[in-house]
PDB file of all heavy atoms in Angstrom:
ATOM      1  N   SER A 439     -12.655 -30.721  19.890  1.00 95.00           N
ATOM      2  CA  SER A 439     -11.810 -29.801  20.649  1.00 95.00           C
ATOM      3  C   SER A 439     -12.230 -28.365  20.366  1.00 95.00           C
ATOM      4  O   SER A 439     -12.850 -28.075  19.342  1.00 95.00           O
ATOM      5  CB  SER A 439     -10.332 -30.012  20.315  1.00 95.00           C
ATOM      6  OG  SER A 439     -10.154 -30.045  18.928  1.00 95.00           O
ATOM      7  N   MET A 440     -11.890 -27.510  21.306  1.00 95.00           N
ATOM      8  CA  MET A 440     -12.269 -26.112  21.189  1.00 95.00           C
ATOM      9  C   MET A 440     -11.113 -25.212  21.592  1.00 95.00           C
ATOM     10  O   MET A 440     -10.234 -25.616  22.361  1.00 95.00           O
ATOM     11  CB  MET A 440     -13.472 -25.783  22.091  1.00 95.00           C
ATOM     12  CG  MET A 440     -14.764 -26.394  21.640  1.00 95.00           C
ATOM     13  SD  MET A 440     -16.138 -25.749  22.618  1.00 95.00           S
ATOM     14  CE  MET A 440     -16.281 -24.083  21.981  1.00 95.00           C
ATOM     15  N   ARG A 441     -11.116 -24.025  21.050  1.00 95.00           N
ATOM     16  CA  ARG A 441     -10.215 -22.991  21.534  1.00 95.00           C
ATOM     17  C   ARG A 441     -11.068 -21.760  21.817  1.00 95.00           C
ATOM     18  O   ARG A 441     -11.834 -21.327  20.972  1.00 95.00           O
ATOM     19  CB  ARG A 441      -9.153 -22.639  20.515  1.00 95.00           C
ATOM     20  CG  ARG A 441      -8.202 -21.553  21.037  1.00 95.00           C
ATOM     21  CD  ARG A 441      -7.370 -20.904  19.961  1.00 95.00           C
ATOM     22  NE  ARG A 441      -6.564 -21.880  19.273  1.00 95.00           N
ATOM     23  CZ  ARG A 441      -6.412 -21.902  17.950  1.00 95.00           C
ATOM     24  NH1 ARG A 441      -7.041 -21.023  17.195  1.00 95.00           N
ATOM     25  NH2 ARG A 441      -5.661 -22.812  17.384  1.00 95.00           N
ATOM     26  N   TYR A 442     -10.952 -21.273  23.037  1.00 96.00           N
ATOM     27  CA  TYR A 442     -11.692 -20.070  23.362  1.00 96.00           C
ATOM     28  C   TYR A 442     -10.725 -19.065  23.968  1.00 96.00           C
ATOM     29  O   TYR A 442      -9.836 -19.413  24.744  1.00 96.00           O
ATOM     30  CB  TYR A 442     -12.861 -20.329  24.314  1.00 96.00           C
ATOM     31  CG  TYR A 442     -12.664 -21.472  25.275  1.00 96.00           C
ATOM     32  CD1 TYR A 442     -12.040 -21.279  26.492  1.00 96.00           C
ATOM     33  CD2 TYR A 442     -13.100 -22.757  24.943  1.00 96.00           C
ATOM     34  CE1 TYR A 442     -11.855 -22.328  27.366  1.00 96.00           C
ATOM     35  CE2 TYR A 442     -12.921 -23.813  25.815  1.00 96.00           C
ATOM     36  CZ  TYR A 442     -12.294 -23.596  27.027  1.00 96.00           C
ATOM     37  OH  TYR A 442     -12.088 -24.639  27.888  1.00 96.00           O
ATOM     38  N   GLY A 443     -10.899 -17.853  23.550  1.00 96.00           N
ATOM     39  CA  GLY A 443      -9.965 -16.839  24.027  1.00 96.00           C
ATOM     40  C   GLY A 443     -10.579 -15.468  24.005  1.00 96.00           C
ATOM     41  O   GLY A 443     -11.656 -15.240  23.443  1.00 96.00           O
ATOM     42  N   LEU A 444      -9.891 -14.576  24.652  1.00 97.00           N
ATOM     43  CA  LEU A 444     -10.357 -13.197  24.707  1.00 97.00           C
ATOM     44  C   LEU A 444      -9.152 -12.280  24.671  1.00 97.00           C
ATOM     45  O   LEU A 444      -8.159 -12.502  25.370  1.00 97.00           O
ATOM     46  CB  LEU A 444     -11.149 -12.952  25.996  1.00 97.00           C
ATOM     47  CG  LEU A 444     -11.725 -11.553  26.170  1.00 97.00           C
ATOM     48  CD1 LEU A 444     -12.839 -11.293  25.159  1.00 97.00           C
ATOM     49  CD2 LEU A 444     -12.255 -11.363  27.592  1.00 97.00           C
ATOM     50  N   ARG A 445      -9.250 -11.279  23.844  1.00 98.00           N
ATOM     51  CA  ARG A 445      -8.215 -10.233  23.795  1.00 98.00           C
ATOM     52  C   ARG A 445      -8.865  -8.942  24.257  1.00 98.00           C
ATOM     53  O   ARG A 445      -9.916  -8.541  23.739  1.00 98.00           O
ATOM     54  CB  ARG A 445      -7.676 -10.074  22.378  1.00 98.00           C
ATOM     55  CG  ARG A 445      -6.579  -9.039  22.240  1.00 98.00           C
ATOM     56  CD  ARG A 445      -6.102  -8.914  20.804  1.00 98.00           C
ATOM     57  NE  ARG A 445      -5.071  -7.918  20.666  1.00 98.00           N
ATOM     58  CZ  ARG A 445      -3.773  -8.121  20.861  1.00 98.00           C
ATOM     59  NH1 ARG A 445      -3.351  -9.339  21.180  1.00 98.00           N
ATOM     60  NH2 ARG A 445      -2.902  -7.157  20.754  1.00 98.00           N
ATOM     61  N   LEU A 446      -8.266  -8.327  25.229  1.00 98.00           N
ATOM     62  CA  LEU A 446      -8.751  -7.019  25.691  1.00 98.00           C
ATOM     63  C   LEU A 446      -7.786  -5.981  25.148  1.00 98.00           C
ATOM     64  O   LEU A 446      -6.625  -5.936  25.555  1.00 98.00           O
ATOM     65  CB  LEU A 446      -8.788  -6.967  27.220  1.00 98.00           C
ATOM     66  CG  LEU A 446      -9.692  -8.011  27.885  1.00 98.00           C
ATOM     67  CD1 LEU A 446      -9.495  -8.000  29.395  1.00 98.00           C
ATOM     68  CD2 LEU A 446     -11.152  -7.737  27.544  1.00 98.00           C
ATOM     69  N   SER A 447      -8.269  -5.207  24.215  1.00 97.00           N
ATOM     70  CA  SER A 447      -7.384  -4.234  23.584  1.00 97.00           C
ATOM     71  C   SER A 447      -7.765  -2.828  24.003  1.00 97.00           C
ATOM     72  O   SER A 447      -8.936  -2.530  24.234  1.00 97.00           O
ATOM     73  CB  SER A 447      -7.437  -4.363  22.066  1.00 97.00           C
ATOM     74  OG  SER A 447      -8.737  -4.102  21.592  1.00 97.00           O
ATOM     75  N   CYS A 448      -6.767  -1.994  24.078  1.00 98.00           N
ATOM     76  CA  CYS A 448      -6.998  -0.612  24.514  1.00 98.00           C
ATOM     77  C   CYS A 448      -6.074   0.304  23.729  1.00 98.00           C
ATOM     78  O   CYS A 448      -4.883   0.022  23.576  1.00 98.00           O
ATOM     79  CB  CYS A 448      -6.706  -0.511  26.016  1.00 98.00           C
ATOM     80  SG  CYS A 448      -6.798   1.166  26.651  1.00 98.00           S
ATOM     81  N   PHE A 449      -6.642   1.364  23.223  1.00 98.00           N
ATOM     82  CA  PHE A 449      -5.828   2.350  22.512  1.00 98.00           C
ATOM     83  C   PHE A 449      -6.088   3.715  23.116  1.00 98.00           C
ATOM     84  O   PHE A 449      -7.241   4.080  23.372  1.00 98.00           O
ATOM     85  CB  PHE A 449      -6.158   2.388  21.019  1.00 98.00           C
ATOM     86  CG  PHE A 449      -5.248   3.299  20.239  1.00 98.00           C
ATOM     87  CD1 PHE A 449      -4.060   2.824  19.715  1.00 98.00           C
ATOM     88  CD2 PHE A 449      -5.574   4.635  20.052  1.00 98.00           C
ATOM     89  CE1 PHE A 449      -3.202   3.665  19.007  1.00 98.00           C
ATOM     90  CE2 PHE A 449      -4.726   5.479  19.353  1.00 98.00           C
ATOM     91  CZ  PHE A 449      -3.538   4.997  18.827  1.00 98.00           C
ATOM     92  N   GLN A 450      -5.012   4.468  23.330  1.00 97.00           N
ATOM     93  CA  GLN A 450      -5.155   5.802  23.907  1.00 97.00           C
ATOM     94  C   GLN A 450      -4.421   6.820  23.045  1.00 97.00           C
ATOM     95  O   GLN A 450      -3.249   6.630  22.719  1.00 97.00           O
ATOM     96  CB  GLN A 450      -4.560   5.828  25.326  1.00 97.00           C
ATOM     97  CG  GLN A 450      -5.298   4.926  26.303  1.00 97.00           C
ATOM     98  CD  GLN A 450      -4.640   4.917  27.662  1.00 97.00           C
ATOM     99  OE1 GLN A 450      -3.485   4.545  27.803  1.00 97.00           O
ATOM    100  NE2 GLN A 450      -5.383   5.351  28.671  1.00 97.00           N
ATOM    101  N   ASN A 451      -5.136   7.874  22.675  1.00 97.00           N
ATOM    102  CA  ASN A 451      -4.477   8.999  22.007  1.00 97.00           C
ATOM    103  C   ASN A 451      -3.811   9.855  23.078  1.00 97.00           C
ATOM    104  O   ASN A 451      -4.430  10.147  24.104  1.00 97.00           O
ATOM    105  CB  ASN A 451      -5.487   9.863  21.258  1.00 97.00           C
ATOM    106  CG  ASN A 451      -6.140   9.128  20.108  1.00 97.00           C
ATOM    107  OD1 ASN A 451      -7.157   8.479  20.270  1.00 97.00           O
ATOM    108  ND2 ASN A 451      -5.530   9.235  18.945  1.00 97.00           N
ATOM    109  N   ILE A 452      -2.579  10.234  22.813  1.00 97.00           N
ATOM    110  CA  ILE A 452      -1.891  11.084  23.777  1.00 97.00           C
ATOM    111  C   ILE A 452      -1.276  12.285  23.068  1.00 97.00           C
ATOM    112  O   ILE A 452      -1.002  12.252  21.873  1.00 97.00           O
ATOM    113  CB  ILE A 452      -0.794  10.313  24.553  1.00 97.00           C
ATOM    114  CG1 ILE A 452       0.274   9.748  23.601  1.00 97.00           C
ATOM    115  CG2 ILE A 452      -1.392   9.208  25.389  1.00 97.00           C
ATOM    116  CD1 ILE A 452       1.488   9.198  24.333  1.00 97.00           C
ATOM    117  N   GLY A 453      -1.096  13.358  23.852  1.00 91.00           N
ATOM    118  CA  GLY A 453      -0.477  14.566  23.322  1.00 91.00           C
ATOM    119  C   GLY A 453       1.034  14.402  23.280  1.00 91.00           C
ATOM    120  O   GLY A 453       1.558  13.382  23.711  1.00 91.00           O
ATOM    121  N   GLU A 454       1.671  15.330  22.736  1.00 91.00           N
ATOM    122  CA  GLU A 454       1.245  16.658  22.428  1.00 91.00           C
ATOM    123  C   GLU A 454       0.582  16.693  21.060  1.00 91.00           C
ATOM    124  O   GLU A 454       1.116  16.137  20.086  1.00 91.00           O
ATOM    125  CB  GLU A 454       2.447  17.609  22.483  1.00 91.00           C
ATOM    126  CG  GLU A 454       2.119  19.057  22.265  1.00 91.00           C
ATOM    127  CD  GLU A 454       3.377  19.915  22.408  1.00 91.00           C
ATOM    128  OE1 GLU A 454       4.494  19.349  22.476  1.00 91.00           O
ATOM    129  OE2 GLU A 454       3.242  21.131  22.447  1.00 91.00           O
ATOM    130  N   GLU A 455      -0.597  17.314  21.005  1.00 91.00           N
ATOM    131  CA  GLU A 455      -1.297  17.389  19.732  1.00 91.00           C
ATOM    132  C   GLU A 455      -2.282  18.554  19.744  1.00 91.00           C
ATOM    133  O   GLU A 455      -2.951  18.811  20.747  1.00 91.00           O
ATOM    134  CB  GLU A 455      -2.045  16.080  19.466  1.00 91.00           C
ATOM    135  CG  GLU A 455      -2.737  16.059  18.111  1.00 91.00           C
ATOM    136  CD  GLU A 455      -3.407  14.731  17.804  1.00 91.00           C
ATOM    137  OE1 GLU A 455      -2.919  13.678  18.255  1.00 91.00           O
ATOM    138  OE2 GLU A 455      -4.440  14.747  17.105  1.00 91.00           O
ATOM    139  N   ASP A 456      -2.350  19.226  18.622  1.00 89.00           N
ATOM    140  CA  ASP A 456      -3.444  20.163  18.389  1.00 89.00           C
ATOM    141  C   ASP A 456      -4.555  19.348  17.753  1.00 89.00           C
ATOM    142  O   ASP A 456      -4.479  19.004  16.570  1.00 89.00           O
ATOM    143  CB  ASP A 456      -3.020  21.290  17.461  1.00 89.00           C
ATOM    144  CG  ASP A 456      -2.112  22.281  18.149  1.00 89.00           C
ATOM    145  OD1 ASP A 456      -2.316  22.528  19.352  1.00 89.00           O
ATOM    146  OD2 ASP A 456      -1.174  22.781  17.506  1.00 89.00           O
ATOM    147  N   PHE A 457      -5.549  19.025  18.540  1.00 91.00           N
ATOM    148  CA  PHE A 457      -6.611  18.146  18.051  1.00 91.00           C
ATOM    149  C   PHE A 457      -7.744  18.970  17.434  1.00 91.00           C
ATOM    150  O   PHE A 457      -8.251  19.900  18.052  1.00 91.00           O
ATOM    151  CB  PHE A 457      -7.147  17.290  19.195  1.00 91.00           C
ATOM    152  CG  PHE A 457      -8.309  16.434  18.782  1.00 91.00           C
ATOM    153  CD1 PHE A 457      -8.125  15.383  17.898  1.00 91.00           C
ATOM    154  CD2 PHE A 457      -9.589  16.705  19.237  1.00 91.00           C
ATOM    155  CE1 PHE A 457      -9.194  14.618  17.486  1.00 91.00           C
ATOM    156  CE2 PHE A 457     -10.657  15.947  18.828  1.00 91.00           C
ATOM    157  CZ  PHE A 457     -10.458  14.900  17.956  1.00 91.00           C
TER     158      PHE A 457
END
Side-chain angles (χ1 to χ4, degrees):
Chain A
S439 49
M440 290 188 73
R441 180 196 301 137
Y442 30 87
L444 181 68
R445 181 181 179 85
L446 300 172
S447 62
C448 175
F449 185 88
Q450 296 177 300
N451 295 89
I452 60 170
E454 184 177 10
E455 183 176 329
D456 286 325
F457 176 68

